[in-house]
Amino acid sequence: MAGHGGPGPYLWSRDGFLGANAVALRENYLPDYLSVEGPHAPHRVNLFDLPTADSMDAEALPTPVMTSREGVELAVSRRRAPTPYTVRNAEADELHFIQSGRARIRTDFGDIEAGPLDFVFLPRAVSYRVEPLDSELAVLILSSPLPLYFDVPAPFGMIHFGRSVRRAAITAGLAAEKPHRLWIKSFDGITRFEMAHDPLPAVKQVEGQSPVWALNLKEIHPLAYITGPGGPPGQFLSTADTSVMCYTLSARPGSRPPVHHNADYDELILYCEGPGAWGGVTEPGTLTWVPKAVTHHGPEENVPEGYQAWLLEVRPTMRLTKEALEYAAHIETGFYGLKT
Ligand SMILES: [Fe+2]
């Protein structure tokens, strides 16, 4: 397993995969640690282990699992009944990742259906309701105060935008409640409006394109290096200031990452599906978190059986919520197995 003992290269990199870097040959294998105490420690948690309020109470909102001072947040939803009110996020773009199950998401710009391994993008100020289509729905929700944009290294190849990106579409005849409850999310909580009309029913789209889209993780092709040892993954979505960046980290050719410090980013990786294992991670729905300045190596991505995973890099320093910490465990940072 991890290369205990012996010298090895160590990489320090700035601005994630985009900035300056330096490599030194170290005398020892640096990821090894004997014990850890305190908040800035590598953990993993499985989304399916976390109790979520909305699985038992249709009125509840998703359960936050990671937060930051800057407002970047991760939450988990396992909704079992349709949202009985309309939600609108006043301060963040939301990226909903469907780990399992299916849902219809009704929005200001029409409906979209999503299933396993779909990302659904709900930008700031777009109103929505979620209708589960089965009893398996489990969703990881990223909230980013700064807008997220497609940011691929080339205009085609990684994502076939015309074929793979589905847009919400307006269908007439949506049943509406009057009066209607509208909940607006902001940094300090929920503001509840009673509206004269349901905001969602629409007649047709007459300008622009729907800002609500869905895209399956399997249709985001990993960036790979055919000759040589390999290199970093390529992002598909990011903020203009690169404070939040999303990558596919599914199986691809190349050698194992170097032992490194990612100076400016916390790294969060969601392992979504096998059949191959990703190092010490084998259970779909496992979220690993390595905070910045914690030395890590990382498993092989060149797994012939294949697996699906994605990486979230965030400049803000993240913290597990008190509720999530109860279900999280420390990991070693060689193969991201449980710390023994
Ligand atoms: Fe890393």
Side-chain angles (χ1 to χ4, degrees):
M1 295 293 281
H4 300 278
Y10 150 83
L11 166 73
W12 171 91
S13 69
R14 208 67 221 247
D15 295 314
F17 304 118
L18 305 174
N21 63 74
V23 179
L25 196 63
R26 293 279 182 219
E27 288 188 10
N28 294 299
Y29 183 72
L30 296 190
D32 286 345
Y33 67 93
L34 299 177
S35 68
V36 63
E37 212 180 297
H40 202 74
H43 283 81
R44 72 187 218 186
V45 66
N46 192 291
L47 308 186
F48 295 106
D49 292 339
L50 291 162
T52 50
D54 64 1
S55 64
M56 292 164 283
D57 177 6
E59 292 284 322
L61 286 162
T63 301
V65 292
M66 297 200 81
T67 56
S68 64
R69 288 168 297 186
E70 292 82 352
V72 175
E73 182 193 274
L74 283 175
V76 177
S77 170
R78 291 212 305 273
R79 177 165 285 286
R80 293 291 172 262
T83 326
Y85 45 81
T86 295
V87 181
R88 190 181 294 160
N89 196 324
E91 295 199 294
D93 283 7
E94 294 185 7
L95 186 69
H96 292 221
F97 179 76
I98 315 282
Q99 171 60 43
S100 69
R102 299 194 63 80
R104 179 183 301 112
I105 296 141
R106 297 196 184 275
T107 80
D108 282 335
F109 292 96
D111 297 349
I112 196 158
E113 282 194 20
L117 278 55
D118 272 338
F119 292 96
V120 179
F121 183 61
L122 294 157
R124 186 193 276 228
V126 165
S127 322
Y128 67 89
R129 301 196 284 272
V130 176
E131 297 181 359
L133 297 176
D134 60 26
S135 57
E136 306 295 321
L137 189 63
V139 187
L140 181 65
I141 302 167
L142 163 68
S143 296
S144 169
L146 291 175
L148 286 160
Y149 301 102
F150 280 120
D151 177 27
V152 291
F156 52 85
M158 178 182 279
I159 298 172
H160 296 283
F161 286 94
R163 185 185 69 198
S164 301
V165 177
R166 297 126 53 201
R167 298 268 168 185
I170 289 169
T171 49
L174 177 62
E177 264 178 48
K178 291 183 186 182
H180 187 86
R181 289 187 291 159
L182 170 66
W183 290 17
I184 295 190
K185 292 166 84 167
S186 57
F187 76 97
D188 48 359
I190 303 298
T191 302
R192 296 168 175 82
F193 287 83
E194 186 178 27
M195 304 298 292
H197 302 283
D198 183 342
L200 298 193
V203 179
K204 67 185 287 199
Q205 185 147 343
V206 292
E207 188 69 61
Q209 66 175 173
S210 170
V212 176
W213 53 256
L215 171 65
N216 198 273
L217 174 61
K218 291 180 177 175
E219 298 192 41
I220 305 168
H221 303 284
L223 189 60
Y225 305 78
I226 301 303
T227 57
Q235 75 276 7
F236 68 94
L237 202 68
S238 71
T239 59
D241 70 348
T242 68
S243 60
V244 176
M245 302 182 80
C246 300
Y247 304 74
T248 172
L249 205 74
S250 299
R252 62 179 183 142
S255 59
R256 197 174 168 195
V259 172
H260 61 286
H261 286 166
N262 192 344
D264 296 300
Y265 287 93
D266 281 22
E267 295 183 10
L268 298 103
I269 294 164
L270 183 68
Y271 173 83
C272 310
E273 187 179 281
W278 176 61
V281 180
T282 57
E283 291 177 0
T286 300
L287 177 70
T288 66
W289 166 51
V290 177
K292 58 179 67 65
V294 171
T295 313
H296 56 287
H297 195 170
E300 291 274 1
E301 295 157 29
N302 189 3
V303 174
E305 300 85 0
Y307 69 87
Q308 298 291 325
W310 61 283
L311 160 67
L312 171 65
E313 285 203 324
V314 283
R315 287 186 191 269
T317 295
M318 303 297 288
R319 289 290 180 255
L320 287 157
T321 58
K322 200 157 71 66
E323 295 74 25
L325 259 176
E326 282 183 40
Y327 297 88
H330 287 134
I331 52 172
E332 47 83 14
T333 56
F335 287 92
Y336 292 13
L338 292 171
K339 176 72 180 161
T340 52

